[in-house]
Amino acid sequence: MERALALLTDLPEPLVYGVLAAGAVIENILPVVPADTFIVAGGFIAGLGTVGPAGVFLVVWGFNVAGAVAVYAAGLKYGPGFFREGRGRALMAERQMRKLEAFYRRWGVLAVFAARFLPGFRALVPVFAGVAELGPARVIPPLVVASAIWYGALVRLGYLAGDNLDAVMETIDRTNRGLLAASALLGVVILGVWWRARRREASREDEDGDGT
């Protein structure tokens, strides 16, 4: 946090917005980028009067949604072909693709919404929504709403922190650790399901080969 504050406080207003925008976008590609810290710091700087809180929120919200929509669009354009005809077939067989599509048809809106609160899944779920060819009308609205809730809360916490910034950051760190643990557990479950499905698929292929 100290580094984030030192960086933002030394920058002119347009560059503050630029750094926040970059962090909000890159988080959709590189989940390890500590965008939450910069966003809280941006809210704190807004509380000092250096930048406007509404401007911080709109920049962070808008660019985060734009980044998520961009990776979704990339998944929609390139994903189906990659997994059905390209090297992705080694990762996901046709049967698994159909299951992925069925999952997103049923749970896609909820999955996209919930993923905005889970580290790591923020980047992955929109991509696979595209791979599953889920329509924009079912992807973009939950992205917009969930991002508004999460980043609006972070900006407001930073803005209202005042002398309690360390306590606020400690609370956010605890929350993020809990969300990261939930993400890791969910990731293990998904990997387990994927591994079992791949083994079943390999067994079917072996049986088909033995029968020919």
Side-chain angles (χ1 to χ4, degrees), residues 71-101 104 123-133 190-191 194 198 201 205:
V71 297
Y72 158 71
L76 183 62
K77 183 174 182 179
Y78 301 108
F82 175 75
F83 284 103
R84 286 198 169 98
E85 302 168 11
R87 296 181 179 179
R89 288 180 299 175
L91 299 174
M92 195 181 306
E94 180 64 29
R95 191 187 303 269
Q96 290 173 293
M97 278 289 292
R98 291 197 297 269
K99 288 183 177 180
L100 178 71
E101 292 166 354
Y104 270 99
L124 293 175
V125 169
V127 175
F128 281 96
V131 173
E133 299 183 281
I190 292 172
L191 283 174
W194 171 81
R198 290 300 295 158
E201 192 67 25
E205 291 175 357

Side-chain angles (χ1 to χ4, degrees), residues 88-146:
R89 288 180 299 175
L91 299 174
M92 195 181 306
E94 180 64 29
R95 191 187 303 269
Q96 290 173 293
M97 278 289 292
R98 291 197 297 269
K99 288 183 177 180
L100 178 71
E101 292 166 354
F103 170 82
Y104 270 99
R105 282 196 300 271
R106 184 172 183 181
W107 302 106
V109 173
L110 180 60
V112 171
F113 180 85
R116 303 317 289 169
F117 303 96
L118 295 174
F121 283 92
R122 294 175 193 166
L124 293 175
V125 169
V127 175
F128 281 96
V131 173
E133 299 183 281
L134 192 66
R138 300 188 64 196
V139 174
I140 296 176
L143 276 177
V144 169
V145 174

Side-chain angles (χ1 to χ4, degrees), residues 7-72:
L7 172 63
L8 294 177
T9 52
D10 290 339
L11 293 175
E13 183 175 350
L15 287 181
V16 171
Y17 290 130
V19 170
L20 295 175
V25 170
I26 294 173
E27 185 186 33
N28 292 288
I29 304 168
L30 299 173
V32 296
V33 173
D36 289 356
T37 299
F38 275 98
I39 291 163
V40 174
F44 182 78
I45 296 299
L48 299 178
T50 305
V51 292
V56 170
F57 168 70
L58 290 174
V59 165
V60 169
W61 179 37
F63 277 87
N64 182 261
V65 170
V69 171
V71 297
Y72 158 71

Side-chain angles (χ1 to χ4, degrees), residues 127-189:
V127 175
F128 281 96
V131 173
E133 299 183 281
L134 192 66
R138 300 188 64 196
V139 174
I140 296 176
L143 276 177
V144 169
V145 174
S147 292
I149 294 171
W150 180 248
Y151 296 107
L154 292 179
V155 171
R156 183 165 178 80
L157 283 171
Y159 181 75
L160 297 176
D163 294 333
N164 298 313
L165 181 61
D166 289 340
V168 168
M169 285 308 305
E170 183 178 347
T171 300
I172 292 172
D173 286 343
R174 284 200 303 269
T175 301
N176 276 332
R177 284 196 295 271
L179 293 173
L180 184 60
S183 295
L185 178 60
L186 182 57
V188 169
V189 171

